[in-house]
């Protein structure tokens, strides 16, 4: 973020006409302007944890209303707050409200004028906003069920994004990522995004279901990155939805290595201004970090463990763990009472076994990966040919 101050006078003409003793008086009457560029993805900014005072909150509310309405400008009282401080509040509004995806900078004038800049016409922005609003309602109606706990809501939204959004890795590697992929529009409408799109969309969806979260920027493995901090039952946890989505994309697969982590766990490969945020210290959900592919069914979590891909199940309410079968199953899917899995204890062949661990049978005697289901059809990828096979069940 940078500040540019411009003095709106014709310097040579004015200075030539006045005495030096009058210059100070003139400068006091000059209108000063601060132009603030939009926050780029991953910018390390002051965050939104700290409480605003009364005047700052007023500016926040004015800005939020104006940006939501796509207004060209707004007014504030310059006697109560410095125009230089307004830009930080504008950036805070944008960071806390990812639905304002069209913001493209602001000019703040010392006379109390805020001039907003947008990245598209008002007509096009409204069309995109309407699409996003429709998509948000659809996600919530699909993923969120009655009487869900806050934890269940967080998991449901995390899973929805992983299962329905594909990381835009080709464009990322070619440095051709579109602006949409950095915003909620990319994730919700195009179904393709980079980390900023994942984390902003997660923030927006959590906000819609009444769960406090923060959009966090920093680096991961040395590269610019963003993720979320989520509040559950009075405690804070980090969630990196992007890194739980396999690349290249694997349909039907959700990872949980970066789901509800502590500061200590996340800082192994993420860097951010930790002191800016509430500390995440609870290890209550650590059991998720032993799971690779995991599917929830009939009150159980079925998963292949991170140590050796053996297939286990955990009862949700008691956290009791039991082995389903002593086979390595990094890829699996569930239909009805059957688990279909790629048996890495026997060539990666396609097998099936009942949820109870009984009735084990071979289905296909060739190596398959990437199992998933749609409408009672099992899909799998044949490793030798790369073709997609299917079984109607």
């Amino acid at each position: 973020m940078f500040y540019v101050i411009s003095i709106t006078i014709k310097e040579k003409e004015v200075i030539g006409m006045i005495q030096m003793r009058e210059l100070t008086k003139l400068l006091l009457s000059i209108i000063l302007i601060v132009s603030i560029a939009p926050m780029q993805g991953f910018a390390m900014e002051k965050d939104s944890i700290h409480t605003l005072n009364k005047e700052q909150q007023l500016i926040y509310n004015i800005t939020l209303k104006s940006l939501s309405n796509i207004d060209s400008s707004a007014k504030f009282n310059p006697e109560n707050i410095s125009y230089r401080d307004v830009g930080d509040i504008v950036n805070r509004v944008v960071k806390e409200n990812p639905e304002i995806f069209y913001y493209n900078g602001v000019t703040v004038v010392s006379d109390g004028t805020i001039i907003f800049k947008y990245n598209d016409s008002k007509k096009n922005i409204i069309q995109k906003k309407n699409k996003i609003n429709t998509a948000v309602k659809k996600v919530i109606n699909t993923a969120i069920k009655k009487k869900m706990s806050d934890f269940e809501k967080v998991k449901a939204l995390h899973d929805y994004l992983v299962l329905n959004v594909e990381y835009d890795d080709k464009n990322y590697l070619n440095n051709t990522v579109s602006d949409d992929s950095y915003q909620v529009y990319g994730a919700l409408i195009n179904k393709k995004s980079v980390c900023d799109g994942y984390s902003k969309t997660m923030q927006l969806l959590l906000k819609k279901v009444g769960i406090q979260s923060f959009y966090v920027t920093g680096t991961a493995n040395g590269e610019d990155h963003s993720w979320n901090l989520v509040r559950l039952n009075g405690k804070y946890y980090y969630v990196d939805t992007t890194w739980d989505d396999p690349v290249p994309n694997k349909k039907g697969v959700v990872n949980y290595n970066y789901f509800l982590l502590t500061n200590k766990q996340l800082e192994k490969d993420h860097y951010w201004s930790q002191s800016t945020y509430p500390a995440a210290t609870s290890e209550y959900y650590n059991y998720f970090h032993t799971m690779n592919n995991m599917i929830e069914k009939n009150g159980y979590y079925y998963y292949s463990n991170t140590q050796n891909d053996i297939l286990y199940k955990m009862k949700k309410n008691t956290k009791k763990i039991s082995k389903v079968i002593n086979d390595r199953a990094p890829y699996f899917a569930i239909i009805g009472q059957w688990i279909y899995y790629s048996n890495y204890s026997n060539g990666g062949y396609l097998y099936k076994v009942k949820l109870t661990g009984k009735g084990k049978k071979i289905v296909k005697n060739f190596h398959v990966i990437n199992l998933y289901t749609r409408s009672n059809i099992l899909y799998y990828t044949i490793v030798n040919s790369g073709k997609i096979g299917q079984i109607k069940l």
Side-chain angles (χ1 to χ4, degrees):
M1 184 167 58
F2 61 91
Y3 293 83
V4 177
I5 300 177
S6 58
I7 300 176
T8 57
I9 59 173
K10 297 178 181 179
E11 289 111 337
K12 290 184 179 180
E13 293 181 18
V14 174
I15 293 174
M17 294 171 58
I18 63 175
Q19 299 295 323
M20 289 302 296
R21 65 175 179 271
E22 297 175 312
L23 183 56
T24 301
K25 185 185 300 183
L26 176 62
L27 289 173
L28 292 175
S29 66
I30 289 173
I31 295 177
L32 298 178
I33 301 173
V34 172
S35 295
I36 301 174
M39 291 188 299
Q40 300 300 319
F42 324 117
M44 296 293 286
E45 298 289 336
K46 291 181 180 179
D47 263 278
S48 333
I49 308 298
H50 305 295
T51 304
L52 297 173
N53 62 36
K54 183 177 180 181
E55 190 59 35
Q56 290 170 332
Q57 187 63 55
L58 177 61
I59 300 298
Y60 185 102
N61 294 342
I62 290 171
T63 299
L64 178 58
K65 182 178 179 180
S66 297
L67 287 174
S68 298
N69 293 335
I70 324 175
D71 294 335
S72 59
S73 63
K75 296 288 290 185
F76 68 96
N77 188 345
E79 295 181 1
N80 296 334
I81 188 170
S82 170
Y83 73 103
R84 293 178 180 272
D85 297 329
V86 172
D88 287 337
I89 298 175
V90 174
N91 277 343
R92 175 168 177 167
V93 170
V94 174
K95 191 167 186 179
E96 291 184 349
N97 298 276
E99 63 270 29
I100 304 174
F101 59 90
Y102 40 87
Y103 169 79
N104 197 37
V106 67
T107 298
V108 185
V109 186
S110 59
D111 69 351
T113 303
I114 310 173
I115 303 170
F116 301 107
K117 302 171 187 175
Y118 302 112
N119 59 19
D120 206 341
S121 68
K122 187 169 185 176
K123 178 181 178 180
N124 289 342
I125 291 170
I126 290 173
Q127 290 177 344
K128 282 191 169 184
K129 280 168 67 79
N130 290 338
K131 287 183 179 180
I132 288 171
N133 291 337
T134 299
V136 167
K137 290 178 182 178
K138 182 179 179 180
V139 172
I140 292 175
N141 290 337
T142 300
I144 305 301
K145 310 302 180 185
K146 290 183 178 180
K147 297 183 179 180
M148 268 188 169
S149 67
D150 283 351
F151 156 71
E152 290 172 322
K153 292 176 183 178
V154 172
K155 180 181 177 297
L157 295 175
H158 166 275
D159 292 359
Y160 183 92
L161 288 178
V162 171
L163 291 171
N164 291 278
V165 181
E166 180 180 350
Y167 187 80
D168 197 2
D169 58 315
K170 290 183 180 179
N171 283 315
Y172 179 77
L173 293 173
N174 293 327
N175 199 29
T176 54
V177 178
S178 70
D179 290 342
D180 284 342
S181 285
Y182 287 98
Q183 303 292 343
V184 296
Y185 192 87
L188 291 174
I189 307 303
N190 298 335
K191 307 296 185 180
K192 195 177 288 287
S193 183
V194 291
C195 58
D196 249 18
Y198 280 89
S199 51
K200 289 175 181 176
T201 305
M202 188 69 170
Q203 179 193 20
L204 175 61
L205 294 173
L206 289 171
K207 177 182 174 183
K208 292 296 184 180
V209 298
I211 296 175
Q212 184 187 31
S213 70
F214 301 100
Y215 162 79
V216 183
T217 57
T219 61
N221 284 344
E223 294 189 355
D224 293 329
H225 194 47
S226 64
W227 56 95
N228 299 97
L229 178 66
V230 177
R231 189 173 187 266
L232 279 177
N233 301 319
K235 299 183 184 299
Y236 291 89
Y237 303 87
Y238 283 101
V239 177
D240 189 340
T241 310
T242 309
W243 276 27
D244 277 342
D245 195 353
V247 177
N249 192 54
K250 297 177 182 177
K251 291 184 178 181
V253 175
V254 181
N255 293 329
Y256 295 91
N257 298 323
Y258 291 88
F259 183 63
L260 303 177
L261 271 64
T262 65
N263 283 58
K264 187 174 181 180
Q265 291 165 335
L266 189 65
E267 69 184 8
K268 291 178 181 178
D269 45 31
H270 289 53
Y271 173 80
W272 70 106
S273 179
Q274 295 191 31
S275 61
T276 305
Y277 301 90
T281 58
S282 172
E283 299 180 352
Y284 183 79
Y285 297 103
N286 271 4
Y287 56 86
F288 276 105
H289 312 146
T290 66
M291 303 176 181
N292 278 330
N293 189 12
M294 187 271 278
I295 298 174
E296 187 174 341
K297 178 78 173 180
N298 297 340
Y300 284 88
Y301 295 129
Y302 290 84
Y303 65 95
S304 51
N305 71 2
T306 55
Q307 183 178 3
N308 52 21
D309 288 323
I310 299 298
L311 196 60
Y312 284 86
K313 64 180 179 180
M314 173 190 288
K315 195 167 181 61
K316 287 175 57 178
N317 58 358
T318 65
K319 306 301 183 288
K320 182 180 179 180
I321 298 173
S322 57
K323 187 182 292 185
V324 177
I325 196 167
N326 197 34
D327 287 339
R328 295 174 57 216
Y331 305 94
F332 72 92
I334 297 177
I335 296 183
Q337 298 301 307
W338 289 94
I339 303 173
Y340 289 81
Y341 66 99
S342 179
N343 187 352
Y344 270 53
S345 296
N346 186 25
Y349 295 171
L350 181 62
Y351 275 70
K352 70 176 183 177
V353 67
K354 289 185 177 179
L355 294 175
T356 60
K358 298 180 179 180
K360 173 181 168 181
K361 295 180 181 179
I362 188 169
V363 179
K364 299 289 183 180
N365 60 351
F366 46 77
H367 189 182
V368 300
I369 59 174
N370 299 341
L371 281 65
Y372 67 97
T373 61
R374 290 287 187 278
S375 303
N376 289 326
I377 297 177
L378 174 71
Y379 296 90
Y380 54 86
T381 300
I382 304 170
V383 171
N384 286 342
S385 65
K387 293 182 178 179
I388 306 297
Q390 65 182 57
I391 301 173
K392 189 172 182 179
L393 303 169

